[in-house]
Amino acid sequence: MTANTLLAWTPAAIVFDCDGTLMDSERHWEKAREVVLGHHGSAPDPEFAQATKGLHYTECGRMLAEYAGAPALAEQMTEQLLASFRQLVADDPVTMPGATELVRKTAAFAPLAVASNCPRDVVEAGLSRAGLLRYFGHVLVPEGEVRPKPYPDVYLEAARLCGAAPGDALAVEDSHCGFVSASRAGLRVLAVGPRRPLHNAADADDAADGDEIPPVDLWVASLADPELVKWADTRRP
């Protein structure tokens, strides 16, 4: 499916990521990582910030501990990370541009779900405060046998609960980790945010090193993109 045909398609279900896609909370994760590393006499560089974007918080905590040169403190730093993030979200819950309108419009023609690497209470509380939780029939997070992104589990389960085959569902994501998860699950992928070129020399090097470059069907700068809003307006159940 190409970008042009994606905007002529009506998905049987739509699964949204939360952090950085619906809620403007990726900056809170960035700040929380800075706070935790600061407590341990370190500070993240841009490469570390990019590498940890979208990861499950336990994996992020492990990477924080290794980055700080204290791998034995992974559990402690994970707890500190989550506590700092929860406080930042509670103090400043903000939706991403266009999120509220797009969720409302898409809920009129397709069942919606959320697939997130965050704890359930954080996702549901943030969406509730934003007035968005009521539009989603299901919230999927890593728990029980459901593994975190980049595993495909949250997207596979979200599509199943929405009654859609993965290939008939659309994922809306903002991170490489999420792109990989949704792609592995077989969903079409709408990428939101600054576009990273997928076919340049650096990507070729990444692929050679074993990194996965997932297919993205369409990139938009934000959920307020006029063509995306027009698409949502013209869909029918």
Side-chain angles (χ1 to χ4, degrees):
M1 183 176 290
T2 66
N4 288 336
T5 57
L6 184 80
L7 292 180
W9 173 59
T10 302
I14 303 177
V15 186
F16 288 84
D17 171 56
C18 188
D19 280 354
T21 300
L22 292 175
M23 301 299 297
D24 188 9
S25 46
E26 184 58 38
R27 60 198 172 94
H28 295 326
W29 281 119
E30 292 178 6
K31 179 61 178 178
R33 291 191 289 264
E34 290 178 8
V35 169
V36 173
L37 285 176
H39 287 327
H40 295 271
S42 185
D45 59 27
E47 289 77 17
F48 181 81
Q50 184 61 35
T52 52
K53 183 178 180 180
L55 293 180
H56 191 254
Y57 63 92
T58 55
E59 176 65 9
C60 188
R62 181 191 65 78
M63 292 177 66
L64 284 169
E66 290 184 353
Y67 187 84
L73 299 181
E75 184 175 350
Q76 175 186 331
M77 293 178 75
T78 298
E79 292 175 355
Q80 293 172 342
L81 175 71
L82 194 53
S84 179
F85 175 74
R86 280 194 168 107
Q87 185 59 55
L88 289 164
V89 170
D91 291 343
D92 186 23
V94 179
T95 56
M96 294 296 288
T100 298
E101 181 181 15
L102 188 68
V103 166
R104 179 177 57 80
K105 289 179 181 293
T106 54
F109 67 83
L112 306 185
V114 170
S116 175
N117 265 353
C118 281
R120 179 176 297 277
D121 67 295
V122 173
V123 175
E124 293 185 345
L127 292 175
S128 179
R129 284 193 292 271
L132 295 178
L133 185 60
R134 62 192 177 94
Y135 292 104
F136 295 96
H138 308 282
V139 173
L140 279 300
V141 299
E143 54 189 11
E145 296 183 357
V146 177
R147 298 169 298 178
K149 304 172 190 177
Y151 290 103
D153 300 25
V154 286
Y155 277 106
L156 286 171
E157 186 66 3
R160 184 187 71 81
L161 290 173
C162 287
D168 294 330
L170 176 67
V172 186
E173 268 284 358
D174 77 307
S175 72
H176 181 83
C177 178
F179 301 155
V180 172
S181 175
S183 176
R184 287 175 176 173
L187 280 72
R188 305 299 179 182
V189 181
L190 171 65
V192 185
R195 180 168 183 167
R196 174 189 176 217
L198 293 180
H199 300 291
N200 57 23
D203 287 317
D205 291 341
D206 287 345
D209 291 338
D211 289 348
E212 184 171 350
I213 303 174
V216 168
D217 295 274
L218 177 65
W219 286 83
V220 294
S222 82
L223 296 181
D225 179 87
E227 289 299 313
L228 184 62
V229 173
K230 179 181 177 181
W231 168 80
D233 275 332
T234 56
R235 298 303 93 197
R236 297 293 179 266

